[in-house]
């Protein structure tokens, strides 16, 4: 079992060596296996990973299509944890789930072999009247903050998706170890958002830095990384890393989906074009 202090020591060592922290979402065991081989610092399991690797958009993880917490536990125990050798595995926890006694569930995740948790699916990505309704009826982002606070008190390593500077402040006050500045659904590929939908990279840079500043006002030692939106490939992430004080990136669609879509189509096409010998 990897402890919170051990995870943080590993991450800080990467930063001190001038290497960005890279967290990778894994919707299958083979994604996790080869993310580890590529040098991932963290492997994250979300319910959306199951939908994403089944060919559906990641937003499916925000819909009422299954028990998000049960899906993550099953994926971890049966698919990802058995094939990961050394990299800490992080569970995406639905903190607003009213059917769980959260401290007990967090202990269950720890006993299963997860090193920490992150708030996913997150209501932070929802806005408008539906967000107002969720907040008014006890299913708001504050429940996610409470989950992170509970996990921190239990000694688990914690990460938090935040969408605004205020959410960054609240998560930092809850004791989170890593703030992940979320820029929205990842652009690109066959089931990602269109480029017209995404915020520009320069606008992301400004918001990410506001998020980082807000979190560090509470805890100067909190680690801040980015995720999503137009940050779909290494060049996009390099642009953000070079213009903000962030120290890494968390990718899911950008790592296990977008890079494999066309290569799979290409190799099948190549097989189909192979010449055959004389028929009998």
């Amino acid at each position: 079992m990897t402890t919170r202090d051990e995870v943080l020591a590993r991450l800080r060592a990467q930063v001190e060596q001038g290497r960005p922290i890279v967290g990778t979402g894994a919707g299958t065991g083979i994604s996790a296996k080869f993310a580890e081989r590529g040098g991932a610092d963290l492997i994250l399991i979300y319910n959306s990973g199951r939908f994403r690797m089944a060919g559906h958009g990641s937003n499916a993880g925000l819909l009422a299509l299954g028990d998000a917490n049960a899906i993550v536990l099953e994926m971890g125990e049966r698919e990802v944890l058995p094939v990961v050798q050394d990299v800490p595995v992080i569970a995406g926890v639905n903190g607003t789930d009213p059917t769980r006694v959260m401290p007990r569930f967090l202990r269950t995740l720890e006993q299963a072999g997860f090193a920490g948790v992150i708030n996913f699916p997150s209501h932070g990505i929802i806005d408008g009247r539906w967000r107002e309704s969720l907040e008014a009826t006890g299913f708001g982002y504050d429940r996610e903050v409470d989950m992170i606070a509970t996990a921190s008190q239990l000694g688990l390593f914690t990460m938090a998706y935040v969408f605004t500077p205020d959410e960054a402040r609240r998560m930092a006050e809850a004791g989170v170890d890593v703030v992940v500045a979320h820029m929205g659904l990842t652009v690109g590929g066959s089931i990602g958002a269109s480029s017209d939908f995404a915020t520009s990279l320069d606008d992301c840079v400004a918001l990410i830095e506001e998020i980082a500043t807000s979190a560090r006002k509470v805890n100067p030692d909190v680690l801040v990384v980015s995720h999503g939106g137009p940050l779909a490939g290494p060049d996009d992430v390099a642009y953000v890393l070079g213009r903000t004080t962030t120290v890494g990136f968390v990718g899911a669609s950008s790592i296990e989906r977008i890079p494999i879509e066309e290569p799979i189509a290409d190799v099948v096409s190549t097989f189909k074009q192979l010449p055959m010998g004389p028929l009998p």
Side-chain angles (χ1 to χ4, degrees), residues 97-218:
D97 185 347
T99 70
R100 304 281 179 178
V101 179
M102 193 53 65
R104 185 184 304 164
F105 180 64
L106 293 173
R107 283 299 189 202
T108 297
L109 293 171
E110 182 181 34
Q111 291 163 6
F114 287 95
V117 298
I118 187 170
N119 58 321
F120 191 92
S122 174
H123 286 172
I125 203 168
I126 300 170
D127 57 16
R129 289 176 62 87
W130 178 226
R131 175 69 178 270
E132 292 174 3
S133 175
L134 290 169
E135 298 282 356
T137 52
F139 294 99
Y141 190 82
D142 60 311
R143 294 278 291 270
E144 300 174 35
V145 175
D146 290 344
M147 182 275 290
I148 292 297
T150 299
S152 182
Q153 291 162 9
L154 292 174
L156 291 169
F157 171 76
T158 55
M159 305 175 70
Y161 278 126
V162 305
F163 303 81
T164 68
D166 182 63
E167 290 170 356
R169 173 189 60 78
R170 292 162 66 187
M171 283 297 190
E173 290 173 347
V176 75
D177 298 307
V178 179
V179 163
V180 186
H182 198 307
M183 296 295 104
L185 187 66
T186 302
V187 166
S190 63
I191 54 176
S194 70
S195 57
D196 293 338
F197 179 79
T199 306
S200 72
L201 276 173
D202 286 329
D203 285 344
C204 286
V205 164
L207 177 56
I208 289 168
E209 195 58 22
E210 288 177 18
I211 285 171
T213 299
S214 181
R216 292 192 186 112
K217 282 182 179 178
V218 177

